[in-house]
Amino acid sequence: MNWLTNFARPKVKAFFSKRNTPDNLWVNCTNCGSMVFHRDLIAQQFVCPSCQFHMRIGPTERFKAIFDGGLYETFDLPDVLPDPLKFKDEKKYADRIKESRSKTSQTDAVVSATGTLDGLGIVMAVQNFKFMGGSLGMAAGEALIRSAEVAIQKRAPFILFTAAGGARMQEGILSLMQMPRTTIAVQILHEAKLPYIVVLTDPTTGGVTASYAMLGDVQIAEPGALIGFAGPRVIEQTIREKLPEGFQRSEYLLEHGMLDMVVHRHDLRKTLSHITHLLMDRSPGKSDTPPRALDPGAHKIPSGVDRNNLQADHSIDSEISKEEEQRARLAGQTP
Amino acid sequence: MHVFLDFETQIADLEGKIEELRQVAAQDPAMNIGEELGKLETKAAAQLRDTYAKLTPWQKTQVARHPVRPHFTDYVGQLVEDFTPLAGDRSFGEDKAIIAGLGRFEGRSIAVIGHEKGADTQSRLEHNFGMARPEGYRKAARIMALADRFCLPVVALVDTTGAYPGRGAEERGQAEAIARSTEMCLSLGVPLVSVIIGEGGSGGAVALAAANRVLMLEHSVYSVISPEGCASILWRDSERAKDAAAAMKITAQDLLGLKVIDQIIPEPVGGAHRDPARAIADTGAAIHQALQEMEGWTGQALRQDRRVKFLEIGRAGLV
Ligand SMILES: [Zn+2]
């Protein structure tokens, strides 16, 4: 399937139809109620200018806000068996999927793209809460695994924006199995020594938080995002008391040591750029080399993929060709 | 006294009659009840066998939660010698919803970890009904790391409704603790065998079940959310738990079909609680066999095996 063509067309249409409707020129802030001109809201990345409330946004807005020049390329994600359990509650799962697809023009909850961030090649994935609550099913699981693989292939950091109510119940145990499966995706990034940066957005709960969303090398959250394992309603029912103000919000998690930072949406690009550039700026021999005294083989060139070239030029293509060059060189040296 | 489930009324009737007859006969030794008793016993046994041969997913959930179903402590008591429990997560506290320790199983040292629901009011409260807090998962991860360092296989017995949804648990990072425990399972360089002995509830179960071999007892259940939870969200009515249990495919038989688990351990007729010693012995034999299959595997091979196993789930062979 050609993702780009299928993705782009309905989006453009939707945009124009909105522009033609005067009702949509003004948007009500769901937090403070103030009226914001739609065009201003776009310029503000959907942060309310009056109260700084961060509205939920989707993959397109994220990609445009983070990648250099708003330029990026989405890549194909694996097809999965649709509706493996033939699940039906009050509605058929197959119908719920169809609805979400037409609403978002996405195949499933996760969209992934490559691009650059201040010149550094980046792989980015965004979970869209509008697609069945961003829920983690087989498609989202495969999407994250594929994204990690692409990051490794391109030797690029992986940035993930999470937003989900949790696992997708309609896929039963197969959705639960995405918890270990996505954890494997994180592990292969760790092994490749590539940064895995998580940006938690409103809301991130359930099995998503209890797997890949809490395993980032650096954990960032947008202000005021609901982040937790159990939902606040379930907790209130269990402990039979009212939860304190701000419970399970980003700032609360930061205070409890669960996050590295809470970052305003307008500062996210700069922060992500700093972190990824700092983590990728490794001088030769810094990593993987135990002290000589402890390892008699330390003077040998470490086997496996070489990481010494990463700080020079960060564009993805040159990275790949450099790595190939390096591999060929290493191969030539091996007796 | 035996606890009967709501679908066991006919069995309860028959067994009640048998009991009555025995009591009457005990009062009057001259009475000949042999023939009548034999008939009733045959009937009761047939009824029990038939009922348990076709339990619905919701009935299996009830059996999996049966108050006298054998729990972690029963398994360890029968299968593990020199069991030495180890406490604490080294950062906040000791959570008795998960028990972890060292012991000897079939002649070899192992680490054993599992949820304990408790067997009476006092112990249920002590073990928080098997619903662990972050400390439980951090202790589990700590003991797994210990096992890894000393090359001891790990056996995990899963039996939880789910991780505890409480205020303190959230504050101390319930989600992160579960994620780390799952990650630890997947990074172990020693064999990890997990057995769902009762309820495998959501992330709180996965945290101990990202294993090389995942086995389930015949009437245990394993699901992404409890049937009640699923019903209250999707049907907006927790009374629809029966429908949710069926729709989610939570039984050992369903999960074997979906290739999510490796093996089903048959239970005694009428469920593990009718003959705990046999259920536990059969479970021990299955664990032993699984460990033997992985005898001599390198750490790398074991990690790879786990990785391939989980990555394959859902990718092929689902019809
Ligand atoms: Zn506002």
Side-chain angles (χ1 to χ4, degrees):
Chain A
M1 187 187 89
N2 188 329
W3 186 275
L4 267 176
T5 49
N6 283 340
F7 183 75
R9 268 190 210 127
K11 262 280 170 239
V12 171
K13 259 187 230 154
F15 183 69
F16 279 112
S17 66
K18 248 184 210 161
R19 277 223 322 194
N20 293 336
T21 321
D23 291 351
N24 282 343
L25 286 176
W26 294 89
V27 178
N28 256 329
C29 170
T30 47
N31 186 51
C32 71
S34 68
M35 303 279 279
V36 192
F37 196 42
H38 191 256
R39 209 168 47 194
D40 292 343
L41 205 54
I42 292 174
Q44 295 292 315
Q45 295 180 45
F46 293 86
V47 176
C48 171
S50 325
C51 72
Q52 301 302 307
F53 178 71
H54 285 51
M55 300 176 190
R56 290 172 186 168
I57 57 176
T60 313
E61 291 85 2
R62 292 288 179 195
F63 293 146
K64 281 187 179 162
I66 304 295
F67 284 122
D68 290 343
L71 296 175
Y72 60 94
E73 210 171 321
T74 55
F75 54 87
D76 283 351
L77 299 169
D79 288 328
V80 297
L81 193 72
D83 194 9
L85 307 184
K86 305 280 169 269
F87 194 97
K88 184 173 173 281
D89 46 79
E90 286 180 324
K91 227 185 229 180
K92 278 187 187 162
Y93 172 43
D95 292 339
R96 285 186 196 265
I97 285 267
K98 256 183 231 157
E99 271 170 40
S100 280
R101 283 185 178 167
S102 69
K103 191 166 75 180
T104 60
S105 306
Q106 289 176 205
T107 308
D108 209 286
V110 173
V111 185
S112 302
T114 56
T116 57
L117 176 54
D118 288 332
L120 175 68
I122 295 279
V123 173
M124 203 164 120
V126 180
Q127 225 164 342
N128 191 351
F129 191 74
K130 278 196 184 139
F131 197 105
M132 290 193 71
S135 55
L136 172 66
M138 292 163 77
E142 290 289 2
L144 296 175
I145 293 164
R146 172 63 56 84
S147 303
E149 286 167 349
V150 171
I152 289 162
Q153 205 181 358
K154 297 187 181 296
R155 311 258 358 121
F158 180 42
I159 299 174
L160 173 65
F161 283 79
T162 65
R168 190 171 292 172
M169 285 171 285
Q170 292 89 343
E171 291 183 10
I173 194 78
L174 294 167
S175 71
L176 189 68
M177 289 301 113
Q178 304 313 313
M179 292 176 67
R181 295 181 88 246
T182 52
T183 303
I184 293 169
V186 177
Q187 285 185 317
I188 63 172
L189 284 165
H190 285 334
E191 281 162 19
K193 296 212 159 60
L194 290 167
Y196 167 51
I197 315 297
V198 178
V199 184
L200 299 136
T201 75
D202 185 61
T204 303
T205 59
V208 169
T209 326
S211 56
Y212 59 90
M214 274 294 166
L215 294 174
D217 293 305
V218 178
Q219 294 284 130
I220 303 171
E222 284 197 328
L226 177 78
I227 302 159
F229 177 63
R233 218 163 38 99
V234 175
I235 299 169
E236 283 187 336
Q237 279 166 4
T238 308
I239 63 173
R240 294 194 188 86
E241 61 177 90
K242 201 104 186 79
L243 292 166
E245 179 76 19
F247 182 72
Q248 290 184 316
R249 297 287 164 181
S250 308
E251 297 73 14
Y252 194 85
L253 267 85
L254 182 70
E255 205 178 296
H256 284 87
M258 292 300 142
L259 300 173
D260 289 288
M261 57 187 97
V262 177
V263 179
H264 191 288
R265 193 173 287 165
H266 295 171
D267 298 326
L268 263 180
R269 185 183 141 81
K270 192 179 70 193
T271 306
L272 288 169
S273 175
H274 285 173
I275 292 168
T276 49
H277 280 263
L278 287 167
L279 287 174
M280 292 300 279
D281 185 22
R282 285 167 283 197
S283 34
K286 244 188 200 168
S287 63
D288 267 357
T289 319
R292 247 163 202 258
L294 294 178
D295 180 5
H299 62 282
K300 286 180 193 154
I301 297 166
S303 62
V305 181
D306 188 272
R307 274 178 291 278
N308 293 345
N309 265 334
L310 285 175
Q311 75 281 15
D313 180 345
H314 290 303
S315 87
I316 281 173
D317 284 340
S318 75
E319 211 125 273
I320 290 173
S321 62
K322 272 196 181 170
E323 194 187 307
E324 275 166 4
E325 221 173 79
Q326 184 82 0
R327 271 209 190 123
R329 197 168 55 78
L330 284 172
Q333 281 177 358
T334 325
Chain B
M1 220 208 74
H2 190 81
V3 180
F4 290 99
L5 299 166
D6 61 10
F7 60 87
E8 293 180 316
T9 47
Q10 281 172 305
I11 299 162
D13 274 357
L14 288 166
E15 291 187 354
K17 275 182 195 155
I18 292 167
E19 193 54 42
E20 237 170 76
L21 202 59
R22 283 212 177 104
Q23 271 170 16
V24 172
Q27 307 269 318
D28 180 4
M31 206 173 135
N32 187 1
I33 57 159
E35 198 186 334
E36 185 64 14
L37 191 65
K39 258 197 246 168
L40 276 172
E41 278 174 341
T42 311
K43 212 173 158 191
Q47 185 70 44
L48 189 67
R49 199 181 51 239
D50 293 351
T51 305
Y52 273 76
K54 43 176 201 266
L55 291 179
T56 66
W58 175 245
Q59 288 168 341
K60 281 192 188 266
T61 309
Q62 292 173 282
V63 175
R65 293 172 179 170
H66 198 287
V68 295
R69 189 172 174 86
H71 290 163
F72 177 89
T73 308
D74 305 305
Y75 282 84
V76 169
Q78 188 176 322
L79 298 175
V80 181
E81 285 170 67
D82 300 336
F83 179 61
T84 310
L86 301 169
D89 70 341
R90 299 297 184 270
S91 51
F92 183 81
E94 156 68 352
D95 179 0
K96 291 187 174 141
I98 289 178
I99 301 176
L102 305 172
R104 204 173 301 281
F105 171 70
E106 298 283 351
R108 75 171 101 192
S109 291
I110 60 159
V112 55
I113 302 169
H115 305 91
E116 172 59 56
K117 287 181 166 182
D120 51 36
T121 307
Q122 197 197 331
S123 64
R124 280 182 193 125
L125 287 169
E126 184 186 336
H127 296 289
N128 199 33
F129 302 87
M131 293 187 286
R133 297 179 168 91
E135 296 72 47
Y137 293 106
R138 291 190 177 122
K139 173 172 67 180
R142 182 173 77 81
I143 303 307
M144 282 192 263
L146 177 73
D148 202 18
R149 262 195 316 281
F150 289 90
C151 296
L152 310 180
V154 181
V155 172
L157 303 178
V158 175
D159 192 12
T160 183
T161 309
Y164 185 64
R167 183 177 157 179
E170 291 289 323
E171 281 172 354
R172 300 191 300 275
Q174 183 71 292
E176 196 259 1
I178 291 170
R180 295 280 170 213
S181 182
T182 309
E183 190 186 31
M184 182 59 77
C185 287
L186 290 165
S187 20
L188 288 176
V190 292
L192 170 59
V193 176
S194 296
V195 188
I196 319 288
I197 57 172
E199 273 186 287
S202 190
V206 169
L208 302 185
N212 295 91
R213 298 285 185 276
V214 181
L215 320 179
M216 274 180 87
L217 263 73
E218 185 183 351
H219 304 308
S220 64
V221 292
Y222 189 10
S223 65
V224 62
I225 184 171
S226 70
E228 293 93 335
C230 179
S232 78
I233 296 171
L234 293 183
W235 279 266
R236 280 164 292 184
D237 179 4
S238 60
E239 297 296 308
R240 300 289 297 271
K242 277 180 199 174
D243 299 307
M248 283 198 296
K249 305 271 191 288
I250 62 174
T251 69
Q253 295 70 29
D254 285 329
L255 269 56
L256 188 68
L258 291 167
K259 298 182 181 171
V260 167
I261 62 160
D262 300 288
Q263 193 187 330
I264 297 174
I265 303 165
E267 292 187 28
V269 174
H273 56 280
R274 289 230 169 209
D275 190 351
R278 220 191 91 202
I280 293 170
D282 289 350
T283 304
I287 295 170
H288 181 55
Q289 196 201 329
L291 287 176
Q292 274 188 320
E293 281 167 16
M294 291 180 273
E295 193 71 57
W297 290 17
T298 63
Q300 186 54 37
L302 288 160
R303 275 186 290 268
Q304 191 64 20
D305 170 72
R306 235 174 269 131
R307 201 169 273 192
V308 169
K309 171 193 166 71
F310 279 92
L311 288 180
E312 277 307 306
I313 290 176
R315 276 189 180 167
L318 294 182
V319 186

